[in-house]
Amino acid sequence: GLVLVAMGYFKLADAVSYLPMPVVGGYLAFIGYFCVQAGTSLCISQPMMSIVDWNLLLDSKNLLLAGPGLVTGLVLTLTSRLATNSGVLPVVMVIIPALFYIILWATGTSLEEAREDGWVGETSPSVPISDLLHLIDFRQVRWDLVSQIIPTWFGMVFVVSFASCLDVAAISIDMGQPLETNRELATVGICNFMSGLTLGFTGSYIFSQTIFTYRTGIHDRCIGFMIMCVYMYIVGSPVNILEVAPLFFLGSTLIFI
C-alpha cells in the first residue's frame, strides 16, 4: 500500500498513458464479458469458467433460471440510459425483487420451495465476527521465509499497480472524462495500507461497483459512506443476503454492468 502511495506521489502512473487504446479497450471488453458470464453463472448457481460453459444454458432448467436475469439486466441497462431522473434506476431495482416476492405470494410458493428450485441461494450457518480474529495467529508465521516471498511481493505490487491503472483508464473511458491516474493509484495504496492494518487482503478497484454507482446517476461522496455502512451491517448481520435475495436479480446487476 505504501509503495502504491509513493508511486502516485512521484506520478509513476503516467506510464499508463503510453498504452495503446486497443489494449485498454480489450481490457474493458474482457471485464464486460466477465461480468456477463459471472452474472449468468450466479443466476444458475453453477460455475462458468470458459466459453464452453455457456452450453449449460442448453439445459431447460438453467435457461429458465438465467432468462429473468438476462432480461432484468437489459431492463436495467435501458433504464440507466433512457431515464432522465437519477432516482428512476434505484426505484426499478427495488421493484424487481419486490415483484419476485409478490409472485411467490400470489402463487402460494414458499421461500424454501423457491430455494429448492434454484431461485434463491442455499442456507448456510452464520459466522460471528469474533471468528475472524481466530483466523490470525502470529505464532504460526514462518518469519524465516519472509526473504523468499520478496519476489512474489514485487510481483503483487506490479500486478495491483498495473491493474489499478488499467481500471482507472477503463473507468475514464466509460465516464467520458479523464481521471487523475496518480491520485487514484495513491487512493488504492491508502486502502491497501488500511486493509493490511486490519488483517485484510491486497486489492484494487471494484470495477463493477464503480461503474454501477456511476450509472445510477448519483455522483456524491455520500454514496461511499452509505456503501460502507451497508457493508458493515452485512458483516455484522446473521442473515446471508444470498439466502433471501433472488439470484437472478443479483446476477442481473452484473449483467447490467
Side-chain angles (χ1 to χ4, degrees):
L2 295 177
V3 172
L4 295 181
V5 173
M7 292 176 67
Y9 178 79
F10 290 107
K11 301 186 183 302
L12 298 181
D14 288 339
V16 75
S17 62
Y18 295 100
L19 287 175
M21 288 303 294
V23 174
V24 180
Y27 180 74
L28 185 60
F30 167 75
I31 292 177
Y33 170 76
F34 176 79
C35 287
V36 172
Q37 182 172 267
T40 305
S41 174
L42 182 57
C43 290
I44 65 177
S45 300
Q46 294 191 41
M48 296 178 63
M49 306 301 294
S50 65
I51 296 179
V52 178
D53 291 331
W54 285 98
N55 289 334
L56 292 171
L57 297 186
L58 296 178
D59 181 83
S60 58
K61 180 180 179 181
N62 289 337
L63 184 61
L64 178 64
L65 293 173
L70 295 170
V71 173
T72 302
L74 178 61
V75 169
L76 294 177
T77 301
L78 294 176
T79 301
S80 67
R81 296 188 179 279
L82 301 178
T84 57
N85 190 308
S86 61
V88 174
L89 183 60
V91 170
V92 172
M93 295 187 67
V94 171
I95 291 176
I96 292 172
L99 285 175
F100 171 77
Y101 279 101
I102 290 175
I103 293 174
L104 290 186
W105 173 77
T107 57
T109 304
S110 67
L111 184 60
E112 289 302 321
E113 290 174 332
R115 179 173 289 111
E116 292 176 0
D117 291 336
W119 294 106
V120 293
E122 296 292 334
T123 57
S124 59
S126 60
V127 179
I129 299 179
S130 58
D131 281 10
L132 298 177
L133 301 178
H134 298 158
L135 298 176
I136 307 299
D137 186 356
F138 288 103
R139 294 173 299 180
Q140 302 295 325
V141 177
R142 292 284 304 276
W143 298 105
D144 57 302
L145 300 178
V146 171
S147 60
Q148 298 183 26
I149 65 172
I150 290 179
T152 303
W153 179 81
F154 275 109
M156 285 298 301
V157 170
F158 174 79
V159 170
V160 173
S161 60
F162 186 70
S164 297
C165 291
L166 283 177
D167 284 339
V168 172
I171 292 169
S172 178
I173 292 175
D174 193 85
M175 293 174 59
Q177 61 187 49
L179 294 174
E180 178 52 57
T181 307
N182 290 292
R183 181 179 179 182
E184 301 298 329
L185 184 62
T187 301
V188 174
I190 293 172
C191 293
N192 273 276
F193 178 71
M194 295 175 63
S195 177
L197 291 179
T198 53
L199 309 178
F201 292 92
T202 302
S204 182
Y205 277 107
I206 303 179
F207 180 88
S208 56
Q209 182 172 300
T210 303
I211 294 299
F212 174 78
T213 304
Y214 176 76
R215 290 182 178 177
T216 61
I218 304 175
H219 307 154
D220 194 283
R221 291 181 182 272
C222 68
I223 191 68
F225 291 103
M226 292 180 63
I227 291 174
M228 179 184 67
C229 292
V230 171
Y231 278 179
M232 293 178 65
Y233 170 77
I234 292 175
V235 171
S237 173
V239 179
N240 184 347
I241 190 173
L242 294 178
E243 297 178 6
V244 295
L247 292 180
F248 79 86
F249 173 69
L250 298 177
S252 70
T253 59
L254 280 171
I255 295 170
F256 158 62
I257 293 165

